[in-house]
Amino acid sequence: MCGIIGAVAQRNVIPILIEGLKRLEYRGYDSAGVALLNPGLTRIRSIGRVAELENKIHAVHAHGHTGIAHTRWATHGAPTEDNAHPHFSHNAIAVVHNGIIENHETLRRVLQQQGYHFDSDTDTEVIAHLIHHHYRRSCDLLQATRQAVAELHGAFAIAVLAEDAANRLVCARRGSPLLIGVGIEEHFIASDASALLPVTQRFVYLEEGDIADIGLLDFHIYNSHGEAVTREHHVSELTAELAELGHYRHFMQKEIYEQPRAIADTLAAIHTDAPLAAELFGAQAPAAFAEIDSVSILACGTSYHAGMVARYWLEAIAGIPCTAEVASEYRYRQSVPRPKTLIVTISQSGETADTLAALGHAKALGHSYTLAICNVPESTLVRQSALHFLTRAGLEIGVASTKAFTAQLVALFLLSLVLGKHRGKITADQETALLAALHQLPGKTQDLLTLEKHIERWAERFADKHHALFLGRGSYYPIAMEGALKLKEISYIHAEAYPAGELKHGPLALIDKNMPVIAIAPNDALLEKLKSNLQEVRARGGELYVFADQGSRMTAGDGVHVIELPSAGHDLGPILHTIPLQLLAYHAALQKGTDVDKPRNLAKSVTVE
């Protein structure tokens, strides 16, 4: 969950490293640091945000043509300067690291017995000393790194400098993402392409177990067996401007407002006058869809909520049994393999450690039908799945996911339609109507954004609250869960979600005038039952905030606040109801004065278990 960037160039790399760290800060912001060759190793570190590091660098006029930098999300050791990366060994080796070294305690004891002194509480310092141990014998940075990596257990991406290896950087990855940026007589490395967009759009993605030797004029990649390999070059569709804030106050606000475009772009390959084809999900999809008899969705956090909504759609539209499971739990229980199950993994980044591990576990159990729904074409999840569908949400920087979530829901609805058609569950007329409804979503989403001022007034009432309850029924219950997650992530208000029918089974005991209750009230078959549930809240003095479909006949009054939303129809309501919940969380966080884009203790891409 940390961010790594490095550069080997014929110019001062400080501006490149600092700008890259700023773009990677969503991956971790407890501390930051940089190491430079100039000509020996120089290190500058700071606690807190990258801006603090930038001030320290400018104060000493640091300069160098080769360097590595890091922004940290703390795992081992508190966020202190001693624990900040890069870590040194004898001022001869510098290392930055993303991931977790599981056998660091054993290696630490061995290295201490060999005379190495540790200045930090991190697992990363073990890597620096281990590489130094091998380097002083071989005097070859690539070989020393390869030998050290062979002794490490866990997931990691690392970048290494040596004091006497000018214009050279060695990096390696196992379980954590790392890529090479290709320039003209200069090369870069990073954990995310967004960090390098100001200097290049040409990237080479390292595969699992790869080690790369990076120089000014060229670079060489070796696989886990030590064999020289060639990896494909990619030209990114992303631009540096996409990572700019523009006129918005926060990236989260910007990304909420980008949802009409994100949905439209995700639907760009779908035409209302052309029949849906299984090939949307890959060339092998028709054969795979003909064989499967069930679906299992594996995801984490917000993506898991998308999977929970999809369960309702897949069973109702496609008539196929479906389960949705938290990826981090799936791999640690005794599950019963079903070879004809389609394993669907969902991830914005495609690098979520628990989701990747769950996919690997499913494949080890014999599941060969795998489908990734992801926002990053070159990601590990996409490369390791037989089938894939790419959401076109664009770069998402705010830690609390918004546009990636609604794009995932669109992709999952398309999957439900394709499987429904493949299984003979929907007619041609139904297909046409459903596709037409999908293509109306961007416009309806745009209309929803006009409600922001109204929702902002609601949020003012949350400034002094410490708890909130979200209610929904059916496919709207996962949307209630997502609304609660957004509120707790960025405002730090404790929020929980329940199916409204469960109120009498415990949560009703919490209701009082200080517990706002946010309800999702679509105009569907469960509306009257939901109204009864809400009456139970009012009878106990609870204050209701209701997002209701037009035509649901929800009346505002004493203790009942109502905002009407345009009706989506055709089961697409969960997508529309998501957006006002995002706006409510955003404005509640503004009222609380929290850091909206970088909430405490969290990071964007969860690349460690």
Side-chain angles (χ1 to χ4, degrees), residues 3 8 24 28 31-32 45 48 74 96 204 206 215 224 236 299 309 336 381 389 393 398 409 547 551 555:
V8 181
L24 288 172
S31 60
R45 299 182 292 179
V96 292
V204 174
L206 297 184
S224 58
S236 176
V309 176
V336 179
L381 192 69
F389 184 93
L409 290 175
F547 292 106
T555 304

PDB file of all heavy atoms in Angstrom, residues 3 8 24 28 31-32 45 48 74 96 204 206 215 224 236 299 309 336 381 389 393 398 409 547 551 555:
ATOM      1  N   GLY A   3       3.905   3.720  -1.829  1.00  0.00           N
ATOM      2  CA  GLY A   3       4.193   4.140  -3.187  1.00  0.00           C
ATOM      3  C   GLY A   3       5.686   4.203  -3.424  1.00  0.00           C
ATOM      4  O   GLY A   3       6.443   4.718  -2.596  1.00  0.00           O
ATOM      5  N   VAL A   8      16.529   6.984 -13.298  1.00  0.00           N
ATOM      6  CA  VAL A   8      17.919   7.042 -13.738  1.00  0.00           C
ATOM      7  C   VAL A   8      17.918   7.956 -14.960  1.00  0.00           C
ATOM      8  O   VAL A   8      17.338   7.614 -15.994  1.00  0.00           O
ATOM      9  CB  VAL A   8      18.468   5.654 -14.111  1.00  0.00           C
ATOM     10  CG1 VAL A   8      19.922   5.757 -14.529  1.00  0.00           C
ATOM     11  CG2 VAL A   8      18.316   4.681 -12.945  1.00  0.00           C
ATOM     12  N   LEU A  24       1.441   9.537  -5.939  1.00  0.00           N
ATOM     13  CA  LEU A  24       1.329   8.234  -5.273  1.00  0.00           C
ATOM     14  C   LEU A  24       0.845   8.363  -3.828  1.00  0.00           C
ATOM     15  O   LEU A  24       0.668   7.345  -3.152  1.00  0.00           O
ATOM     16  CB  LEU A  24       2.687   7.530  -5.267  1.00  0.00           C
ATOM     17  CG  LEU A  24       3.191   6.979  -6.603  1.00  0.00           C
ATOM     18  CD1 LEU A  24       4.622   6.502  -6.452  1.00  0.00           C
ATOM     19  CD2 LEU A  24       2.299   5.842  -7.095  1.00  0.00           C
ATOM     20  N   GLY A  28      -0.393   5.898   0.459  1.00  0.00           N
ATOM     21  CA  GLY A  28       0.164   5.924   1.805  1.00  0.00           C
ATOM     22  C   GLY A  28       0.718   7.300   2.093  1.00  0.00           C
ATOM     23  O   GLY A  28       1.355   7.901   1.222  1.00  0.00           O
ATOM     24  N   SER A  31       4.578   8.789   6.068  1.00  0.00           N
ATOM     25  CA  SER A  31       5.914   9.367   6.005  1.00  0.00           C
ATOM     26  C   SER A  31       6.399   9.253   4.570  1.00  0.00           C
ATOM     27  O   SER A  31       5.780   8.569   3.750  1.00  0.00           O
ATOM     28  CB  SER A  31       6.880   8.649   6.963  1.00  0.00           C
ATOM     29  OG  SER A  31       6.982   7.272   6.627  1.00  0.00           O
ATOM     30  N   ALA A  32       7.497   9.925   4.273  1.00  0.00           N
ATOM     31  CA  ALA A  32       8.027   9.891   2.907  1.00  0.00           C
ATOM     32  C   ALA A  32       9.532  10.087   2.960  1.00  0.00           C
ATOM     33  O   ALA A  32      10.078  10.619   3.941  1.00  0.00           O
ATOM     34  CB  ALA A  32       7.370  10.964   2.039  1.00  0.00           C
ATOM     35  N   ARG A  45      14.391  12.220   4.767  1.00  0.00           N
ATOM     36  CA  ARG A  45      13.119  11.608   5.148  1.00  0.00           C
ATOM     37  C   ARG A  45      12.316  12.576   6.012  1.00  0.00           C
ATOM     38  O   ARG A  45      12.874  13.472   6.643  1.00  0.00           O
ATOM     39  CB  ARG A  45      13.359  10.298   5.918  1.00  0.00           C
ATOM     40  CG  ARG A  45      14.102   9.241   5.127  1.00  0.00           C
ATOM     41  CD  ARG A  45      14.264   7.957   5.928  1.00  0.00           C
ATOM     42  NE  ARG A  45      15.155   8.106   7.068  1.00  0.00           N
ATOM     43  CZ  ARG A  45      15.444   7.125   7.928  1.00  0.00           C
ATOM     44  NH1 ARG A  45      14.900   5.923   7.754  1.00  0.00           N
ATOM     45  NH2 ARG A  45      16.260   7.324   8.942  1.00  0.00           N
ATOM     46  N   GLY A  48       4.844  12.432   7.883  1.00  0.00           N
ATOM     47  CA  GLY A  48       3.685  13.121   7.332  1.00  0.00           C
ATOM     48  C   GLY A  48       3.692  13.147   5.820  1.00  0.00           C
ATOM     49  O   GLY A  48       4.237  12.266   5.157  1.00  0.00           O
ATOM     50  N   ALA A  74       2.046   2.819   7.088  1.00  0.00           N
ATOM     51  CA  ALA A  74       2.774   2.057   8.102  1.00  0.00           C
ATOM     52  C   ALA A  74       2.185   0.667   8.327  1.00  0.00           C
ATOM     53  O   ALA A  74       0.980   0.511   8.515  1.00  0.00           O
ATOM     54  CB  ALA A  74       2.787   2.829   9.419  1.00  0.00           C
ATOM     55  N   VAL A  96      13.875   0.889  -1.027  1.00  0.00           N
ATOM     56  CA  VAL A  96      12.475   1.216  -0.743  1.00  0.00           C
ATOM     57  C   VAL A  96      11.653  -0.038  -1.032  1.00  0.00           C
ATOM     58  O   VAL A  96      12.018  -0.860  -1.884  1.00  0.00           O
ATOM     59  CB  VAL A  96      11.964   2.412  -1.575  1.00  0.00           C
ATOM     60  CG1 VAL A  96      12.647   3.684  -1.135  1.00  0.00           C
ATOM     61  CG2 VAL A  96      12.146   2.180  -3.070  1.00  0.00           C
ATOM     62  N   VAL A 204       6.460  -0.754 -19.181  1.00  0.00           N
ATOM     63  CA  VAL A 204       6.673  -2.200 -19.202  1.00  0.00           C
ATOM     64  C   VAL A 204       6.313  -2.709 -17.816  1.00  0.00           C
ATOM     65  O   VAL A 204       6.888  -2.247 -16.811  1.00  0.00           O
ATOM     66  CB  VAL A 204       8.132  -2.561 -19.548  1.00  0.00           C
ATOM     67  CG1 VAL A 204       8.353  -4.066 -19.421  1.00  0.00           C
ATOM     68  CG2 VAL A 204       8.484  -2.080 -20.950  1.00  0.00           C
ATOM     69  N   LEU A 206       6.309  -5.401 -14.937  1.00  0.00           N
ATOM     70  CA  LEU A 206       7.050  -6.579 -14.487  1.00  0.00           C
ATOM     71  C   LEU A 206       6.073  -7.678 -14.104  1.00  0.00           C
ATOM     72  O   LEU A 206       5.025  -7.427 -13.515  1.00  0.00           O
ATOM     73  CB  LEU A 206       7.936  -6.235 -13.300  1.00  0.00           C
ATOM     74  CG  LEU A 206       9.045  -5.207 -13.559  1.00  0.00           C
ATOM     75  CD1 LEU A 206       9.900  -5.032 -12.311  1.00  0.00           C
ATOM     76  CD2 LEU A 206       9.909  -5.595 -14.745  1.00  0.00           C
ATOM     77  N   GLY A 215      19.219   1.029 -16.357  1.00  0.00           N
ATOM     78  CA  GLY A 215      20.294   1.970 -16.619  1.00  0.00           C
ATOM     79  C   GLY A 215      19.799   3.156 -17.407  1.00  0.00           C
ATOM     80  O   GLY A 215      18.604   3.295 -17.688  1.00  0.00           O
ATOM     81  N   SER A 224      11.970 -15.281 -12.654  1.00  0.00           N
ATOM     82  CA  SER A 224      12.292 -15.897 -11.359  1.00  0.00           C
ATOM     83  C   SER A 224      13.330 -16.999 -11.466  1.00  0.00           C
ATOM     84  O   SER A 224      13.908 -17.403 -10.457  1.00  0.00           O
ATOM     85  CB  SER A 224      11.010 -16.450 -10.719  1.00  0.00           C
ATOM     86  OG  SER A 224      10.390 -17.391 -11.583  1.00  0.00           O
ATOM     87  N   SER A 236       0.127   3.942 -22.418  1.00  0.00           N
ATOM     88  CA  SER A 236      -1.024   4.205 -21.566  1.00  0.00           C
ATOM     89  C   SER A 236      -1.971   5.210 -22.208  1.00  0.00           C
ATOM     90  O   SER A 236      -1.547   6.151 -22.884  1.00  0.00           O
ATOM     91  CB  SER A 236      -0.565   4.728 -20.206  1.00  0.00           C
ATOM     92  OG  SER A 236      -1.668   5.070 -19.399  1.00  0.00           O
ATOM     93  N   ALA A 299     -14.242 -10.368  -3.811  1.00  0.00           N
ATOM     94  CA  ALA A 299     -13.819  -8.969  -3.837  1.00  0.00           C
ATOM     95  C   ALA A 299     -13.661  -8.467  -2.411  1.00  0.00           C
ATOM     96  O   ALA A 299     -13.996  -9.156  -1.444  1.00  0.00           O
ATOM     97  CB  ALA A 299     -14.825  -8.113  -4.611  1.00  0.00           C
ATOM     98  N   VAL A 309     -24.522  -6.604  -4.889  1.00  0.00           N
ATOM     99  CA  VAL A 309     -25.615  -6.158  -5.760  1.00  0.00           C
ATOM    100  C   VAL A 309     -25.747  -7.102  -6.940  1.00  0.00           C
ATOM    101  O   VAL A 309     -26.858  -7.502  -7.331  1.00  0.00           O
ATOM    102  CB  VAL A 309     -25.362  -4.716  -6.247  1.00  0.00           C
ATOM    103  CG1 VAL A 309     -26.448  -4.292  -7.240  1.00  0.00           C
ATOM    104  CG2 VAL A 309     -25.322  -3.743  -5.071  1.00  0.00           C
ATOM    105  N   VAL A 336     -15.840 -25.940  -1.007  1.00  0.00           N
ATOM    106  CA  VAL A 336     -16.078 -27.104  -1.856  1.00  0.00           C
ATOM    107  C   VAL A 336     -15.919 -26.670  -3.315  1.00  0.00           C
ATOM    108  O   VAL A 336     -16.718 -25.864  -3.813  1.00  0.00           O
ATOM    109  CB  VAL A 336     -17.488 -27.686  -1.643  1.00  0.00           C
ATOM    110  CG1 VAL A 336     -17.720 -28.874  -2.550  1.00  0.00           C
ATOM    111  CG2 VAL A 336     -17.676 -28.073  -0.176  1.00  0.00           C
ATOM    112  N   LEU A 381      -4.423  -8.700 -11.961  1.00  0.00           N
ATOM    113  CA  LEU A 381      -5.689  -9.434 -11.934  1.00  0.00           C
ATOM    114  C   LEU A 381      -6.176  -9.738 -13.344  1.00  0.00           C
ATOM    115  O   LEU A 381      -6.634 -10.852 -13.630  1.00  0.00           O
ATOM    116  CB  LEU A 381      -6.751  -8.627 -11.175  1.00  0.00           C
ATOM    117  CG  LEU A 381      -8.031  -9.372 -10.820  1.00  0.00           C
ATOM    118  CD1 LEU A 381      -7.754 -10.427  -9.754  1.00  0.00           C
ATOM    119  CD2 LEU A 381      -9.097  -8.406 -10.322  1.00  0.00           C
ATOM    120  N   PHE A 389     -13.377  -7.903 -18.191  1.00  0.00           N
ATOM    121  CA  PHE A 389     -14.129  -6.753 -18.679  1.00  0.00           C
ATOM    122  C   PHE A 389     -13.528  -5.527 -18.028  1.00  0.00           C
ATOM    123  O   PHE A 389     -13.407  -5.458 -16.805  1.00  0.00           O
ATOM    124  CB  PHE A 389     -15.614  -6.848 -18.331  1.00  0.00           C
ATOM    125  CG  PHE A 389     -16.424  -5.717 -18.912  1.00  0.00           C
ATOM    126  CD1 PHE A 389     -17.048  -5.854 -20.134  1.00  0.00           C
ATOM    127  CD2 PHE A 389     -16.545  -4.509 -18.235  1.00  0.00           C
ATOM    128  CE1 PHE A 389     -17.784  -4.813 -20.683  1.00  0.00           C
ATOM    129  CE2 PHE A 389     -17.276  -3.461 -18.766  1.00  0.00           C
ATOM    130  CZ  PHE A 389     -17.898  -3.611 -19.998  1.00  0.00           C
ATOM    131  N   ALA A 393     -13.465   3.842 -16.002  1.00  0.00           N
ATOM    132  CA  ALA A 393     -13.682   4.947 -15.058  1.00  0.00           C
ATOM    133  C   ALA A 393     -12.569   5.970 -15.102  1.00  0.00           C
ATOM    134  O   ALA A 393     -12.735   7.087 -14.617  1.00  0.00           O
ATOM    135  CB  ALA A 393     -13.829   4.390 -13.637  1.00  0.00           C
ATOM    136  N   GLY A 398      -8.974   9.597  -5.219  1.00  0.00           N
ATOM    137  CA  GLY A 398      -9.559   9.623  -3.881  1.00  0.00           C
ATOM    138  C   GLY A 398      -9.584   8.231  -3.269  1.00  0.00           C
ATOM    139  O   GLY A 398      -9.939   7.256  -3.930  1.00  0.00           O
ATOM    140  N   LEU A 409     -20.624  -1.588 -11.182  1.00  0.00           N
ATOM    141  CA  LEU A 409     -22.026  -1.999 -11.206  1.00  0.00           C
ATOM    142  C   LEU A 409     -22.536  -2.103 -12.642  1.00  0.00           C
ATOM    143  O   LEU A 409     -23.270  -3.037 -12.986  1.00  0.00           O
ATOM    144  CB  LEU A 409     -22.875  -1.014 -10.408  1.00  0.00           C
ATOM    145  CG  LEU A 409     -22.689  -1.026  -8.887  1.00  0.00           C
ATOM    146  CD1 LEU A 409     -23.493   0.087  -8.244  1.00  0.00           C
ATOM    147  CD2 LEU A 409     -23.087  -2.380  -8.292  1.00  0.00           C
ATOM    148  N   PHE A 547     -33.845   8.783   0.853  1.00  0.00           N
ATOM    149  CA  PHE A 547     -33.658   8.956  -0.584  1.00  0.00           C
ATOM    150  C   PHE A 547     -34.698   8.077  -1.269  1.00  0.00           C
ATOM    151  O   PHE A 547     -34.609   6.839  -1.222  1.00  0.00           O
ATOM    152  CB  PHE A 547     -32.244   8.556  -1.003  1.00  0.00           C
ATOM    153  CG  PHE A 547     -31.186   9.493  -0.486  1.00  0.00           C
ATOM    154  CD1 PHE A 547     -30.360   9.116   0.567  1.00  0.00           C
ATOM    155  CD2 PHE A 547     -31.017  10.750  -1.047  1.00  0.00           C
ATOM    156  CE1 PHE A 547     -29.379   9.974   1.043  1.00  0.00           C
ATOM    157  CE2 PHE A 547     -30.037  11.620  -0.573  1.00  0.00           C
ATOM    158  CZ  PHE A 547     -29.220  11.233   0.472  1.00  0.00           C
ATOM    159  N   GLY A 551     -42.471   8.897  -7.180  1.00  0.00           N
ATOM    160  CA  GLY A 551     -43.614   7.984  -7.208  1.00  0.00           C
ATOM    161  C   GLY A 551     -43.701   7.075  -6.010  1.00  0.00           C
ATOM    162  O   GLY A 551     -44.636   6.283  -5.898  1.00  0.00           O
ATOM    163  N   THR A 555     -43.473  11.122   2.268  1.00  0.00           N
ATOM    164  CA  THR A 555     -43.834  12.484   2.635  1.00  0.00           C
ATOM    165  C   THR A 555     -42.896  13.014   3.714  1.00  0.00           C
ATOM    166  O   THR A 555     -42.682  12.363   4.743  1.00  0.00           O
ATOM    167  CB  THR A 555     -45.281  12.532   3.148  1.00  0.00           C
ATOM    168  OG1 THR A 555     -46.145  11.985   2.150  1.00  0.00           O
ATOM    169  CG2 THR A 555     -45.693  13.966   3.454  1.00  0.00           C
TER     170      THR A 555
END
